[in-house]
Amino acid sequence: MDNSKLSKRCSYMVSKLAIAVLAVVLASFPVASGRSQDIAKQRPRHRVLIYYANETPEQALSSPNYKDLLAALRQSPTDVAKIIAKSLTDDGHHFPLVVRRDIQDLDRVALLSKSDLVVFTNTLTLKHKYNVLYGSQGRLETRSFPTIPSSADRVFANSPLSRPEQFRTALDLVGNLFGKDSIDAVLIANSHGTPQMALMPRVNVDLSRTTPEQLLAQLMRSGSGEIQPVWAVPRGTDKVQFWKIISRASALYKMRFSLVFLEACESGPYTFSDVLSVPASVALVAHSGRANIDPSAINYAPLEREQPSLWPNQLPLLLRAYHIHVDSRLKLWLWPTLIKLRAIPPSVCFLPLALWLICFASVTLGRMRKLSKLQALTPGRVMAQEASK
């Protein structure tokens, strides 16, 4: 066989081999794609209950800020100061007890339903810890919470979970713990709050930045509508920040929230910005509307009594039984709308009626004038007709 024929034969065999290899590669693509889709569908999803307690820890009452505040209040002879002092003391004693009770109840729910429970509290965070209970394994694990940067700010010294960066860190820890696109979450955020704030310390004033006299004067003017001094402005995580952090976690880790419970006073949406910030990944929002809330009155123990595996569906019903509002994202629009309508002065509400009465009176008066003119002209026309005859 000469060289030209051998070369052609080799080229022909190489071409057939290349075609065969290409066919095998092309045939393998649909199979690989189908397998990857099957794996994605089979990826286990985790039912995760996140309990985020921005409580007043027990050591807060002995902190310099609390001592200065209580001393200033006790110097005042007014009943208001005495009531505030008692409220602060009671909060420091009872809030940690409520949090411990909630965690015990939710532990049992997680174990019975084989769900996962992640617990963040100020008491744990100050020790650089948080707890994870793997309900399906019956295993409790204490993990490390990232070190909080040291700060001279006395407002957040005992309430680090009031800060937006710590709330963001907590959701990052949950997202990294269970993996992306695998978390069906319920979030309970137990904290103090105001119409603007979702997470904040009970004592929101740094007493080193003011005097007892200025503090007491500001407390007496509270709610008067005056501009607050810088040291008295509420600090922590406002509602827009709160929802934006949840939106970030939803986008980054593909978290889905069947319910977010803002367990705080006046935790309903007050502005349209609050509602616009709620991400589509949140199905239901539980809140106290424009009312105060007593966390000790909300008991999660009933969730473990009947069909604990259905606790995500039972929780909204339980909260409604405690007079908590549980709204869809669409229904949330009703709250700021009603607030805007109630802010309209009553005189403005009657303005359309007043305009209608003016128009009606004007038209009626015009018709009466025309009728009187016709009546005045009629006798003259009769006399003119008789004279022409």
Side-chain angles (χ1 to χ4, degrees):
M1 184 181 295
D2 57 16
N3 291 335
S4 61
K5 289 184 178 182
L6 180 60
S7 177
K8 288 181 180 180
R9 186 175 181 84
C10 290
S11 177
Y12 176 72
M13 292 179 65
V14 169
S15 300
K16 287 188 67 176
L17 180 60
I19 293 172
V21 171
L22 181 60
V24 171
V25 171
L26 291 175
S28 66
F29 272 109
V31 176
S33 177
R35 286 179 180 174
S36 63
Q37 291 177 1
D38 291 340
I39 291 171
K41 290 179 181 179
Q42 294 172 2
R43 179 182 299 165
R45 298 197 64 83
H46 300 273
R47 288 197 306 180
V48 182
L49 175 54
I50 306 169
Y51 185 73
Y52 188 90
N54 181 39
E55 86 282 15
T56 305
E58 295 174 349
Q59 64 264 35
L61 290 175
S62 58
S63 67
N65 207 39
Y66 263 77
K67 286 183 176 179
D68 291 346
L69 176 57
L70 291 172
L73 291 171
R74 287 163 183 160
Q75 290 174 8
S76 173
T78 64
D79 292 336
V80 174
K82 293 177 182 177
I83 292 172
I84 295 174
K86 184 178 185 304
S87 175
L88 292 175
T89 305
D90 290 346
D91 175 71
H93 289 310
H94 296 310
F95 206 162
L97 297 177
V98 171
V99 169
R100 284 199 289 270
R101 182 208 64 185
D102 287 351
I103 294 172
Q104 290 174 357
D105 292 340
L106 296 174
D107 278 348
R108 290 192 290 269
V109 173
L111 290 170
L112 291 171
S113 64
K114 301 187 184 304
S115 303
D116 298 313
L117 172 65
V118 186
V119 173
F120 301 95
T121 70
N122 279 324
T123 302
L124 286 170
T125 303
L126 290 170
K127 299 175 183 177
H128 311 296
K129 298 177 181 178
Y130 71 102
N131 288 336
V132 182
L133 175 61
Y134 298 95
S136 60
Q137 305 172 26
R139 176 169 57 90
L140 177 64
E141 185 174 283
T142 298
R143 300 176 68 90
S144 175
F145 193 95
T147 302
I148 303 169
S150 59
S151 173
D153 195 329
R154 302 203 301 179
V155 170
F156 299 113
N158 293 289
S159 300
L161 295 186
S162 297
R163 292 178 175 272
E165 54 266 32
Q166 304 307 334
F167 182 46
R168 183 170 56 248
T169 297
L171 293 186
D172 284 342
L173 290 170
V174 174
N176 289 317
L177 187 64
F178 296 101
K180 292 185 178 180
D181 200 14
S182 68
I183 301 173
D184 295 323
V186 169
L187 169 63
I188 299 174
N190 193 352
S191 177
H192 293 289
T194 69
Q196 298 79 31
M197 307 301 292
L199 305 169
M200 62 182 290
R202 178 64 177 85
V203 174
N204 214 246
V205 176
D206 184 351
L207 268 293
S208 65
R209 302 175 63 189
T210 184
T211 64
E213 292 76 18
Q214 289 177 330
L215 172 66
L216 294 172
Q218 179 63 30
L219 290 174
M220 296 302 106
R221 292 195 298 268
S222 179
S224 63
E226 294 184 9
I227 297 176
Q228 294 178 318
V230 174
W231 53 264
V233 174
R235 300 168 62 197
T237 304
D238 64 40
K239 291 176 180 175
V240 173
Q241 288 176 315
F242 179 84
W243 291 117
K244 285 186 175 180
I245 291 170
I246 291 179
S247 179
R248 171 187 173 274
S250 298
L252 192 58
Y253 303 104
K254 308 299 181 186
M255 285 188 192
R256 299 194 300 233
F257 294 85
S258 60
L259 175 71
V260 174
F261 178 23
L262 270 167
E263 191 175 354
C265 294
E266 301 175 298
S267 60
Y270 274 67
T271 67
F272 292 113
S273 297
D274 295 343
V275 181
L276 284 169
S277 301
V278 179
S281 59
V282 176
L284 294 174
V285 177
H287 58 90
S288 61
R290 297 190 298 161
N292 291 332
I293 194 171
D294 180 9
S296 64
I298 299 175
N299 190 350
Y300 297 106
L303 294 175
E304 64 180 279
R305 293 173 188 164
E306 294 183 9
Q307 295 182 308
S309 62
L310 299 179
W311 68 264
N313 298 326
Q314 293 176 344
L315 182 56
L317 300 176
L318 178 67
L319 293 178
R320 288 190 178 105
Y322 291 124
H323 307 291
I324 300 298
H325 303 279
V326 182
D327 296 332
S328 65
R329 291 174 58 249
L330 181 60
K331 192 176 177 182
L332 287 176
W333 288 97
L334 184 63
W335 290 90
T337 301
L338 289 176
I339 291 172
K340 292 293 183 182
L341 290 176
R342 288 173 180 171
I344 298 174
S347 57
V348 175
C349 298
F350 288 102
L351 183 59
L353 177 61
L355 292 174
W356 180 83
L357 289 173
I358 292 172
C359 292
F360 178 78
S362 177
V363 171
T364 303
L365 184 61
R367 289 178 178 175
M368 291 178 65
R369 286 177 177 175
K370 288 182 180 180
L371 182 60
S372 63
K373 288 181 179 180
L374 289 173
Q375 290 175 347
L377 290 173
T378 299
R381 290 180 179 177
V382 173
M383 293 175 62
Q385 289 177 357
E386 293 180 352
S388 63
K389 292 179 181 179

